[in-house]
Amino acid sequence: MSEPSNFIWYELMTPDPAGAARFYGAVVGWTIADTGEQTAGGVDYRMIGRSDGGNAGGVLALNADMIAGGARPIWIGYLHVADVDAAVAAIKADGGSVHMPAMDIPVGRIAMVADPQGAVFYVMDPKPPEGMEGMERDVFSVTEAQHVRWNELATSDSDAAIAFYKEHFGWGQEGEMPMGELGAYRFIQRGEVGLGAVMPLMEGYPVPVWNFYIGVDDIDRAHAAVTANGGTITNEPMEIPGGEYAMNAIDPQGAPVGFVGPRK
């Protein structure tokens, strides 16, 4: 599917790209460049390489000014839109907010926005490399290790959030799992593809946020690598439908992250 509405990129914002490279290299198997490319704005940006030769996303180095302005370590997703300016206007009119106005970069046009509950994401109209027009980014995969495999929105108002993403991105919502007094874990789809889920805010989530689960080859190996390389496990591996396991962690620089994969 090459039409808009998919997650086409993931970005780790961190004050220590070298430390992040060591951590995610050990846990996931990614390769992150030792030095970053300086963007037009002087920002240090590094690509995340998978072992199959593709890219899993990028790393943006948070500098002192960004941190002073309130930036914090976090993973952010990019959603494909056909017209960034129109998408920003529609999101703002529907109660969302704009964190970074639309701007052109060498690979397309982007803006950073938030949904009406406050979860932040980018919208992007990408400029594909020559010869790759019409092809879709493969940073998200339902099944593959070293890709993001699950996109989970923790929000203060599940009904409103689902309505928002249905309206602006055409997603569907079918199926759910009960979470007791917390409410329901509600699955979201893009066409026939399961993108992830929407869930109520829980303890440890002070504000609405998108969480991303990265595929690993072995959940127990990844668990050991998280703790051995300075990360913190916040939710131990739990079996999920289909027989695989998911867990949550905080990387050494403070960014929340999830991992999912088989137990071998």
Side-chain angles (χ1 to χ4, degrees):
M1 301 172 69
S2 58
E3 70 271 16
S5 77
N6 196 25
F7 281 97
I8 56 170
W9 198 248
Y10 298 95
E11 182 174 282
L12 172 63
M13 299 173 66
T14 180
D16 182 6
R22 290 189 295 271
F23 176 79
Y24 289 99
V27 177
V28 183
W30 286 340
T31 300
I32 300 173
D34 293 333
T35 57
E37 299 178 7
Q38 293 295 318
T39 66
V43 176
D44 178 334
Y45 203 88
R46 311 181 188 201
M47 295 299 183
I48 301 173
R50 303 191 307 253
S51 58
D52 65 2
N55 288 321
V59 176
L60 185 152
L62 294 175
N63 59 36
D65 289 341
M66 294 175 186
I67 294 170
R72 66 189 191 281
I74 192 173
W75 279 95
I76 300 182
Y78 284 63
L79 286 170
H80 182 192
V81 297
D83 184 325
V84 169
D85 297 270
V88 169
I91 287 168
K92 190 173 180 181
D94 202 17
S97 56
V98 180
H99 288 241
M100 185 184 78
M103 61 181 290
D104 291 312
I105 59 175
V107 292
R109 187 165 177 80
I110 66 171
M112 184 189 290
V113 297
D115 65 27
Q117 290 70 50
V120 176
F121 60 97
Y122 284 98
V123 288
M124 182 177 191
D125 178 14
K127 186 184 298 181
E130 186 175 351
M132 297 182 68
E133 296 85 357
M135 297 178 65
E136 187 160 275
R137 293 270 188 184
D138 65 351
V139 293
F140 169 70
S141 168
V142 175
T143 59
E144 299 301 312
Q146 296 194 15
H147 300 245
V148 169
R149 292 186 51 190
W150 194 250
N151 307 281
E152 182 182 84
L153 175 62
T155 183
S156 55
D157 188 337
S158 294
D159 288 340
I162 289 167
F164 172 85
Y165 288 97
K166 280 184 174 181
E167 171 68 23
H168 295 278
F169 299 98
W171 294 349
Q173 192 285 305
E174 292 184 9
E176 62 181 50
M177 291 194 311
M179 298 176 63
E181 294 181 356
L182 292 172
Y185 191 79
R186 301 170 69 181
F187 302 117
I188 50 176
Q189 300 83 26
R190 176 180 179 248
E192 299 300 317
V193 178
L195 283 176
V198 176
M199 62 178 283
L201 281 176
M202 300 173 61
E203 184 178 355
Y205 294 96
V207 296
V209 65
W210 277 100
N211 299 302
F212 306 107
Y213 288 76
I214 301 161
V216 294
D217 57 354
D218 180 338
I219 199 71
D220 293 314
R221 181 205 59 75
H223 183 283
V226 167
T227 55
N229 288 275
T232 303
I233 301 294
T234 54
N235 284 306
E236 295 289 336
M238 178 179 65
E239 188 170 3
I240 58 176
E244 292 190 301
Y245 290 78
M247 66 181 180
N248 297 89
I250 298 175
D251 73 20
Q253 291 71 46
V257 62
F259 300 102
V260 60
R263 172 162 278 167
K264 295 183 177 179

